[in-house]
């Protein structure tokens, strides 16, 4: 297929920026303002329209893919998407090449994240936050807590369990529980075995909710008492709705991922987007965001900045995981197009309850 | 429901002290009525006088506020509509549009679980000569045919009493006359009791054995049609049942057999036997077809009342007869009908004429002096217009 | 043609006119519009449904082919959803009918005496339209969530089992469909019942039918056009709905309907041929069902 | 959504002129309002009706009540009463709710104008002229109503993609117009059919040229039907989510906003907008009814 | 449009060789008609005979397939409706419901840009005595008032020709009679040419100067009402305009002034001047009101035709008159009307009677021997039913 061409940049005159992101993914004060963003606006004069528009990588892609294919504006000048989805965008030519000269702070990018195989040298993307997928539960209902994915299948939780619609997290956790090294060289057999587990739990009604970031609403309403979750989210809803939930990486391990900034092909405000990225790569800013969202920051120096705010923060394993924590987290290996199609279809058919 | 065969012949109907109040309106004040079995009874009256309400009470579609209803001697006042041995031919026919003709006719029989409903229904259709259309839907029939189906649908049940609510109201004149004949024939054939409601006086007179004239919820006069026509008791009846020339005055003298009334200077003699009142202020009258016109002053005679001279105001030819409007000073306008037999004088507008009639053709009303109106007030149209406005108001209110 | 029966006014005899040039002028823009934006997409949908994956292509890349197999594939993969869709839609239609008939009867027949009340009630029936149907559905989801007052009370009263729940169950989806389409059922029923000539009912009772028989033999058949219109207006959109059954609303993984499958194939799996084939199947099935239904209920003139 | 034709009838109450009263009178007059003894128990049906309305209004009341919730982000648990959300509807998320709402209104208005114009023209042609393609055209008008929205939405989306049309406000309007046309045709057709052709003939007889007759006689008489159709069409467009979702690209509409925020908690501001629309519509419809009633009373006095 | 003042007085209307074909149906075969200026002309005929079609052709609402239409001598055949000096009062009145009464009446004037349309409209409303209702809407008027507005709306334009398509059809009998009078009065006042369509023979006869009886798209007979009634030319006219007793037979002899017809054995004499045919098979007749009944065989006389003896089949009293049906062997049933003047014999069913009438009252038709039908075939309902069915079929076919 012909790749679309990038739109011309109008940032010089157009001081605005649309940023699409996931829920509970930026610092937010009680009145619903985003302090770091406000500071950015004051500092640069760029008016940012921050939209919580991503619930799930696939559904977001589904919504914008047609415009992307035509090289049109998708209503966002930068979006934060997960590695594997970013890989697809880059492959299809749906992203604009970043001008590193506009992002001097890229120097603060954690060395481990500089050369992912889907974007050598970070020509097209830049990490926003990373995190774990693990398990979480309602502390009021389960003071004793859960330790493994297996615990989600307990009869006490029947109908009150949620899993993520993000295949790599949900399947990753189950495969880990099955003893599979998800980063390693697994194949259909391993995947099928995990699918069987999930199918059984869904069909039996053990798992009722399969959602994207919307799983937070189910936790809040009480429809879900325990779930496969993303690490930082729990801190955020605890802050919002009372300290009711807890997160843990299961015994058998959790997944580790990164969400990355990218500039969609039809955006006319690439420079503004780069200015924003540069801003969030200030260690102090990164620390402030991290303090709120509790996700792993890719910014070197943020730890020190965080320690300055609150020493305890620097020890938070969700933000600054140590080796031991990291050893429990695994990266889901990348999939070929055919694998993607096949595994996604299998997974989706569970979501559809076939 | 229990299988009940209804009377093969009609039954008496008795209404005793019936009153019917609607919220804010008393439709029937105090009604007593007896209709003998097997008769063809017509209830005649202007629009809104309570005819339909009476029928609905008998059918059980409405409950009386007071009074009792007896059919064949049995009190049915609290019996529900579907349990009364009564059937109605509705003004609009009310044929079920979703059923074929034969299904319509068989409906009542099936509800009562009468054996061979279709056979009986076909028989009833044969009676009204529509058996060949048994499979059609009502919408596919002409108005007259629908009317006959409605009749068949009622008759097939052999009800003790058949109610007909202006069943001919929707038909045009020609068809109406034709249906009147058929209805009468069928009644004679099946011998049921017919209670026929109409506001067409000619219809009531040509069809019924007995006519009751109803006005404002009460019965004004009742009797055989010719009797009522010949000797109306009230001005209302005199003008509702055909037209009349009425004259009010004081009784100025009387003999054994007659009274003489001084009306606007003329002396009008009426036989005592034909006058409801014999003294004081009275109203006497004569039918227009009984009046003769004379181009010369007639010789005074004790056998005739004479008025005149007057002047012909209008002559209108209507085929069979010619109508003359004669203005007689002191007596207002007199209406005279002359059949176009080809004999008799034929006068033009403006001619000077005298009007006379035989004493034995006059009648005296039971009313006192009445505000003599030549034509009955145009009740029907006024009420139609009012009705329209009401509909409109309801509509507007409803949105 | 179709649905004309909902018209509130009686038709006047129309003098048929000749001048077909004027007719053409009147028809052309609208018809062209429909051809362009309804018919053409439908045809390309048909073509898409026959596409095959692009050889060596990436995810979501297809080429024109004549791949009937797509139909077989989606039928095999999704037959439960097809059945479920029609099952839920049918159930919702029946419930909506049962719910709406007495309501429409009251508004259309009993309330005739109070026109203002009648129109007020009609306004209330369409009131849900004024609030986005997504919000209505979410409101139910929250009102009936596991920890909600309603559900916890029912559990406390032991009317519900301890691990019973509402959201995510087939019951919830059918409930949502029913609720959302009640106005679509009530209004045509109302229209039919409002016109119901009560003299037919009186004639029935005069002909020895008890109230129940009158209802069964006269009221129901005479309101048939309303019933047919209402059931169609409920069934068609309900069968194609995907909001109620969506996992974000009242549904769960085992309540997904055709709409959800089509959406997932279009937007998540990027399997356009499958989505298109499913769309065509859904539409064809509905047309066949509607045709049979309308024929059997004897209301062809609705179409 | 299909079939809000009856809703149109009610909404049309806003626009009813005397003409429809005339034609409606004929219909009314065949139903006497007296009801004798036919019907269900005298208290059963009214009780049921009240309960049914309570049920219908639950989510609406819920939505309304929660528009006053002093919530921070998601609006699930009751956290106290506040007017803030009403006073600051447009201040959250950079006014996203209001923007979506404004988009919905614009789309609704434009789609309504186009659909009403095209649909009215078709309706007039269908009733007033005889031509050969009649039944084909009728079918073409019926199909969109019998097609599930997913199919409509997906088909059109695929078509726009194939042709390379960018999805924006225009595509939403094009899509909405498409599914509104049929409903307009049905609604207006009823009106045209009930319009006595003698009135137009009288216009011609009284020296009106064809254009004068159209603008002075035909059009004013069709107005209530056209307005009803327009209101219906606006309601359909305003509440549409499924078709919009496929064809909106990055443009937000109110239902789309609700759908998207459903996954991250709907802010109380959405409830404010929905409640406001609801109240506005309710006041409008009830106001129209009451003024009609008042007019009727005046008229009665006049008589 | 150009300002054109129409004639202050009516204009002649001429239809020459008009034919009108609808797809699959010829409504008018070959029609010639001349209506003199200022006359009140009535077109009378059964339903479906083409009356409305004729009017619509004149109004320009329909184009003739063949033939010419002249108004005041000017050929208007290809002139469009809104350019013809003609106005119509529609059966349904067709008042614009969205305009007030005064706006309705002024509509035509405004279209023609006549000065002071409102003043003229008020004047027209005063003529029909409705000026006080000028601001109302049509729905707020009663049927009779609406009718008068429709009339005013047409008259105000001073058209050369006023067409009235059964303007009274929707009214009830009483109101109808009242409106007939008013219409006639107004016509006399304004002096326009009125072309009035009706199927009510009484209406036509009482109102019009000239009546044309139309049947199956052609005019059967035309003339003054009394003339037509007195001397009908065809069996259709004889029975459509009132009722007739008809007898077919061969002319058996003739004198200078009269012919004698042998009908079923009886010899019936008809004056030559009153017979359209003088030899061969002919049909002769007499009106029922001209026939007398005798209880004894009347003395034969050259002045009277006598039939009998026969037997009275039915007697029906209708107030003003009594109708007798007499079966005379060989002659079928004879209808006799006797006004209830109170004189003359009154016979009962089954009585043996003779019927006689003066030779000068008989008439001879232009038809040959006709299948004598006592009552005209029930055209109207048959065609209504057919029409309904057609509508239905069209509807089904189209859906
Ligand atoms: N349900 C009702 N509520 C109030 N008034 C009523 C009701 N039904 C009838 N009436 C009034 O009672 C009176 C008698 O009505 P009814 O229908 O019996 O008249 P009718 O003699 O049959 O007249 P018509 O010849 O017009 O049919 C009328 O004035 C009518 O308006
Ligand atoms: N547009 C048409 N197409 C086909 N046939 C028509 C059309 N208009 C009228 N006709 C037929 O022409 C005949 C004459 O119709 P017309 O309306 O002139 O009758 P009419 O004498 O006015 O009858 P009525 O007294 O019922 O009004 C009828 O048989 C009618 O069915
Ligand atoms: N609340 C923010 C959650 C971000 C989750 N990102 C998707 C990770 C997929 N593995
Ligand atoms: Mg009545
Ligand atoms: Mg006609």
């Amino acid at each position: 297929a012909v790749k679309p061409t990038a739109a011309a940049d109008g940032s010089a005159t157009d001081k605005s920026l649309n940023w699409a992101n996931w829920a509970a993914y930026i610092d937010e004060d009680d009145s619903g303002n985003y302090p770091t963003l406000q500071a950015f606006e004051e500092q640069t004069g760029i008016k940012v329209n921050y939209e919580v528009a991503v619930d799930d990588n696939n559904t977001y892609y589904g919504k914008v893919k047609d415009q992307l294919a035509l090289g049109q504006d998708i209503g966002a000048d930068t979006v934060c998407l997960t590695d594997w989805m970013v890989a697809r965008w880059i492959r299809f030519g749906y992203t604009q090449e970043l001008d590193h000269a506009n992002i001097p702070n890229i120097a603060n990018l954690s060395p481990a994240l500089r050369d992912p195989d889907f974007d050598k040298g970070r020509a097209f993307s830049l990490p926003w936050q990373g995190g774990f997928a693990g398990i979480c539960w309602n502390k009021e209902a389960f003071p004793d807590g859960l330790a493994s994915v297996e615990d989600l299948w307990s009869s006490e939780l029947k109908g009150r369990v949620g899993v993520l619609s993000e295949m790599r997290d949900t399947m990753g956790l189950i495969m880990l529980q099955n003893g599979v090294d998800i980063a390693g060289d697994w194949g259909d057999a391993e995947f099928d075995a995990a699918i069987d587990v999930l199918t059984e739990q869904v069909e039996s009604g053990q798992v009722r909710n399969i959602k994207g970031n919307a799983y937070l609403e189910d936790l809040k309403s009480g429809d879900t008492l325990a779930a496969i979750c993303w690490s930082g989210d729990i801190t955020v809803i605890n802050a919002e709705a009372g300290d009711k939930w807890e997160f843990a990486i299961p015994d058998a391990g959790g997944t580790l991922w990164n969400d990355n900034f990218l500039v969609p092909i039809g955006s006319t405000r690439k420079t503004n987007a780069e200015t924003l990225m540069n801003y969030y790569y200030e260690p102090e800013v990164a620390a402030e965001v991290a303090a709120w969202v509790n996700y792993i920051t890719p910014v070197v120096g943020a730890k020190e900045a965080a320690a300055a705010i609150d020493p305890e923060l620097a020890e938070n394993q969700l933000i600054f995981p140590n080796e031991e924590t990291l050893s429990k987290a695994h990266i889901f290996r990348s999939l070929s197009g055919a694998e993607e199609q096949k595994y996604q279809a299998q997974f989706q058919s569970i979501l559809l309850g076939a | 429901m229990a299988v009940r065969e209804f009377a093969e012949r009609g039954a008496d109907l008795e209404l005793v002290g019936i009153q019917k109040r609607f919220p804010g309106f008393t439709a029937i004040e105090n009604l007593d009525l007896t209709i003998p079995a097997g008769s063809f009874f017509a209830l005649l009256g202007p629009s809104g006088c309570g005819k339909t309400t009476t029928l609905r009470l008998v059918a059980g579609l409405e409950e009386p506020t007071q009074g009792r209803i007896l059919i064949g001697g049995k009190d049915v006042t609290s019996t529900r509509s579907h349990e009364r041995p009564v059937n109605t031919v509705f003004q609009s026919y009310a044929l079920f549009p979703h059923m074929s003709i034969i299904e319509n006719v068989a409906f009542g029989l099936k509800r009562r679980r009468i054996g061979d409903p279709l056979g009986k229904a076909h028989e009833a259709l044969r009676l009204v000569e529509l058996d060949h259309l048994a499979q059609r839907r009502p919408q596919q029939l002409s108005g007259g045919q629908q009317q006959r189906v409605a009749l068949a649908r009622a008759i097939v049940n052999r009800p003790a009493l058949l109610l007909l609510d202006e069943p001919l109201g929707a038909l045009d004149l020609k068809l109406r006359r034709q249906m009147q004949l058929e209805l009468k024939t069928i009644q004679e054939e099946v011998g049921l009791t017919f209670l026929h409601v109409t506001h067409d006086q000619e219809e009531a007179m040509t069809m019924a054995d007995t006519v009751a004239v109803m006005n404002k919820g009460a019965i004004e006069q009742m009797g055989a049609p010719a009797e009522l026509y010949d000797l109306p008791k009230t001005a209302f009846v005199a003008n509702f049942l055909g037209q009349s020339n009425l004259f009010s005055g004081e009784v100025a003298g009387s003999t054994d057999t007659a009274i003489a009334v001084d009306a606007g200077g003329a002396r009008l003699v009426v036989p005592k036997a034909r006058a409801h009142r014999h003294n004081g202020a009275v109203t006497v009258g004569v039918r227009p077809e009984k009046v003769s016109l004379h181009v010369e002053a007639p010789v005074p005679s004790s056998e005739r009342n004479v008025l005149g001279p007057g002047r012909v105001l209008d002559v209108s030819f209507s085929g069979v007869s010619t109508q003359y409007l004669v203005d007689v000073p002191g007596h207002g306008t007199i209406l005279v009908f002359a059949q176009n037999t080809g004999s008799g004088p034929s006068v033009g507008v403006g001619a000077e004429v005298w009007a006379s009639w035989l004493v034995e053709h006059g009648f005296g009303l039971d009313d006192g002096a009445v505000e003599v109106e030549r034509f009955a007030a145009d009740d029907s149209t006024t009420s139609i217009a009012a009705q329209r406005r009401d509909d409109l108001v309801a509509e507007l209110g409803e949105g | 043609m179709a649905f004309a029966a909902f018209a509130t006014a009686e038709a006047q005899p129309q003098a048929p006119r000749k001048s077909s040039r004027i007719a053409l002028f009147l028809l052309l823009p609208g018809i062209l519009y429909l051809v362009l934006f309804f018919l053409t997409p439908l045809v390309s949908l048909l073509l898409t449904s026959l596409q095959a994956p692009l050889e060596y292509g990436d995810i979501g890349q297809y080429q024109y082919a004549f791949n009937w197999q797509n139909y077989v594939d989606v039928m095999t993969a999704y037959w439960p959803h097809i059945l479920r869709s029609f099952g839920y839609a049918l159930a919702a239609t029946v419930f909506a009918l049962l719910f709406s008939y007495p309501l429409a009867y009251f508004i259309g027949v009993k309330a005739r005496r109070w026109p203002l009340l009648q129109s007020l009630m009609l306004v209330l029936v369409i009131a849900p339209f004024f609030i986005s149907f997504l919000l209505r559905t979410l409101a139910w989801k929250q009102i009936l969530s596991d920890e909600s007052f309603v559900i916890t009370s029912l559990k406390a009263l032991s009317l519900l089992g301890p691990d019973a729940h509402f959201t995510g169950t087939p019951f919830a989806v059918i409930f949502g469909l029913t609720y959302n389409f009640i106005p679509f059922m009530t209004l045509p029923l109302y229209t039919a019942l409002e016109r119901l000539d009560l003299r037919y009912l009186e004639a029935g009772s005069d002909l020895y039918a008890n109230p129940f028989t009158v209802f069964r033999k006269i009221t129901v058949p005479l309101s048939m056009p309303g019933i047919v219109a209402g059931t169609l207006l409920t069934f068609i959109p309900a069968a194609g709905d995907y909001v109620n059954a969506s996992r974000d609303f009242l549904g769960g993984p085992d309540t997904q309907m055709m709409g959800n499958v089509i959406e997932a194939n279009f937007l998540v799996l990027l399997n356009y041929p499958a989505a298109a084939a499913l769309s065509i199947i859904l539409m064809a099935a509905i047309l066949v069902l509607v045709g049979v239904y309308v024929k059997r209920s004897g209301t062809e003139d609705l179409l | 959504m299909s079939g809000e034709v009856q809703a149109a009838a009610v909404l049309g109450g806003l626009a009813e002129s005397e003409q429809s009263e005339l034609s409606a009178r004929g219909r009314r007059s065949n139903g006497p309002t007296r009801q004798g003894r036919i019907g269900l128990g005298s208290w059963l049906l009214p009780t049921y009706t009240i309960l049914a309305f309570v049920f219908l209004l639950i989510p609406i009341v819920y939505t309304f009540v929660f528009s006053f919730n002093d919530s921070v982000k998601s609006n699930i648990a009751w956290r106290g009463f506040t007017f803030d959300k009403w006073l600051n509807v447009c201040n959250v998320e950079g006014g996203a709710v209001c923007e979506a709402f404004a988009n919905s209104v614009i789309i609704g208005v434009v789609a309504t104008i186009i659909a009403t114009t095209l649909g009215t023209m078709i309706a007039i042609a269908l009733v007033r002229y005889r031509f050969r393609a009649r039944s084909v055209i009728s079918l073409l008008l019926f199909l969109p109503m019998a097609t599930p929205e997913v199919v409509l939405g997906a088909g059109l989306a695929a078509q726009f993609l194939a042709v390379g049309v960018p999805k924006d406000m225009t595509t939403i309007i094009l899509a909405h117009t498409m599914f509104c046309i049929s409903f307009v045709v049905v609604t207006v057709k009823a009106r045209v059919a009930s319009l006595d052709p003698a009135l137009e003939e009288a216009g011609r007889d009284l020296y009106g040229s064809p254009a004068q007759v159209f603008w002075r006689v035909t059009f004013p008489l069709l107005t209530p039907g056209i307005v009803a159709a327009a209101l219906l069409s606006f309601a359909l467009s305003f509440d549409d989510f499924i078709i919009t979702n496929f064809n909106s690209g990055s443009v937000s509409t109110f239902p789309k906003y609700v759908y998207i925020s459903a996954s991250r908690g709907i802010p109380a501001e959405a409830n404010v907008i929905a409640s406001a629309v609801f109240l506005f519509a309710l006041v409008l419809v009830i106001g129209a009814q009451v003024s009609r009633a008042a007019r009727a009373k005046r008229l009665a006095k006049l008589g």
Side-chain angles (χ1 to χ4, degrees), chain C residues 204-219:
Chain C
S205 129
D206 182 63
L207 291 166
Y208 319 108
N210 59 37
F212 178 68
T213 314
V214 169
F215 179 75
R216 204 166 43 91
K217 293 268 176 192
I218 299 169
T219 312

Coordinates of all heavy atoms in Angstrom, one line a residue, chain C residues 204-219:
Chain C
G204 N -69.2 -6.1 19.2 CA -68.8 -7.4 19.7 C -69.5 -7.8 20.9 O -70.0 -8.9 21.1
S205 N -69.6 -6.8 21.8 CA -70.3 -7.2 23.1 C -71.8 -7.4 22.9 O -72.4 -8.2 23.5 CB -69.9 -6.1 24.1 OG -71.1 -5.6 24.7
D206 N -72.3 -6.6 21.9 CA -73.7 -6.8 21.5 C -73.9 -8.2 20.9 O -75.0 -8.7 21.1 CB -74.1 -5.7 20.5 CG -75.5 -5.7 20.1 OD1 -76.4 -5.5 21.0 OD2 -75.8 -6.0 18.9
L207 N -72.9 -8.7 20.3 CA -73.0 -10.0 19.7 C -72.5 -11.1 20.6 O -71.8 -12.1 20.2 CB -72.3 -10.0 18.4 CG -73.0 -9.2 17.3 CD1 -72.0 -9.0 16.1 CD2 -74.3 -9.9 16.8
Y208 N -72.7 -10.9 21.9 CA -72.4 -12.0 22.9 C -71.0 -12.3 23.2 O -70.7 -13.4 23.8 CB -73.2 -13.2 22.6 CG -74.6 -12.9 22.0 CD1 -74.9 -13.1 20.7 CD2 -75.6 -12.4 22.9 CE1 -76.1 -12.7 20.2 CE2 -76.8 -12.0 22.4 CZ -77.1 -12.2 21.0 OH -78.3 -11.9 20.6
A209 N -70.1 -11.4 22.9 CA -68.7 -11.7 23.2 C -68.4 -11.1 24.6 O -68.7 -9.9 24.8 CB -67.7 -11.1 22.1
N210 N -67.8 -11.9 25.5 CA -67.4 -11.3 26.7 C -66.2 -10.4 26.6 O -65.5 -10.5 25.5 CB -67.2 -12.4 27.8 CG -66.1 -13.4 27.4 OD1 -65.1 -13.0 26.8 ND2 -66.3 -14.7 27.6
P211 N -65.8 -9.6 27.6 CA -64.8 -8.7 27.4 C -63.5 -9.3 26.9 O -62.8 -8.7 26.0 CB -64.6 -8.1 28.8 CG -65.9 -8.2 29.4 CD -66.5 -9.4 28.9
F212 N -63.1 -10.5 27.4 CA -61.9 -11.1 26.9 C -62.0 -11.5 25.5 O -61.0 -11.2 24.7 CB -61.6 -12.3 27.8 CG -60.3 -13.0 27.3 CD1 -59.1 -12.4 27.5 CD2 -60.4 -14.3 26.7 CE1 -57.9 -13.0 27.1 CE2 -59.3 -14.9 26.3 CZ -58.0 -14.3 26.5
T213 N -63.1 -12.0 25.1 CA -63.3 -12.4 23.7 C -63.2 -11.2 22.8 O -62.7 -11.2 21.7 CB -64.6 -13.2 23.5 OG1 -64.7 -14.1 24.5 CG2 -64.6 -13.8 22.1
V214 N -63.9 -10.1 23.2 CA -63.9 -8.8 22.5 C -62.4 -8.4 22.2 O -62.0 -8.1 21.1 CB -64.6 -7.7 23.2 CG1 -64.4 -6.4 22.5 CG2 -66.1 -8.0 23.2
F215 N -61.6 -8.5 23.3 CA -60.2 -8.1 23.2 C -59.5 -9.0 22.2 O -58.8 -8.5 21.3 CB -59.5 -8.2 24.5 CG -58.1 -7.8 24.5 CD1 -57.7 -6.5 24.4 CD2 -57.1 -8.8 24.6 CE1 -56.4 -6.2 24.4 CE2 -55.8 -8.5 24.5 CZ -55.4 -7.1 24.4
R216 N -59.7 -10.3 22.3 CA -58.9 -11.2 21.5 C -59.4 -11.2 20.0 O -58.6 -11.2 19.1 CB -59.2 -12.6 22.1 CG -58.1 -13.6 21.8 CD -58.3 -14.9 22.7 NE -59.7 -15.3 22.8 CZ -60.3 -16.1 22.0 NH1 -59.6 -16.7 21.0 NH2 -61.6 -16.5 22.1
K217 N -60.7 -11.1 19.8 CA -61.2 -11.2 18.5 C -61.4 -9.9 17.7 O -61.5 -9.9 16.5 CB -62.6 -11.9 18.5 CG -62.6 -13.3 19.0 CD -62.5 -14.2 17.8 CE -62.4 -15.7 18.3 NZ -62.1 -16.5 17.2
I218 N -61.4 -8.8 18.5 CA -61.7 -7.5 17.8 C -60.6 -6.5 18.1 O -59.9 -6.0 17.1 CB -63.0 -7.0 18.2 CG1 -64.1 -8.0 17.8 CG2 -63.3 -5.6 17.6 CD1 -65.5 -7.7 18.3
T219 N -60.3 -6.2 19.3 CA -59.3 -5.2 19.6 C -57.9 -5.6 19.0 O -57.3 -4.8 18.3 CB -59.1 -5.0 21.1 OG1 -60.4 -4.9 21.7 CG2 -58.4 -3.8 21.4

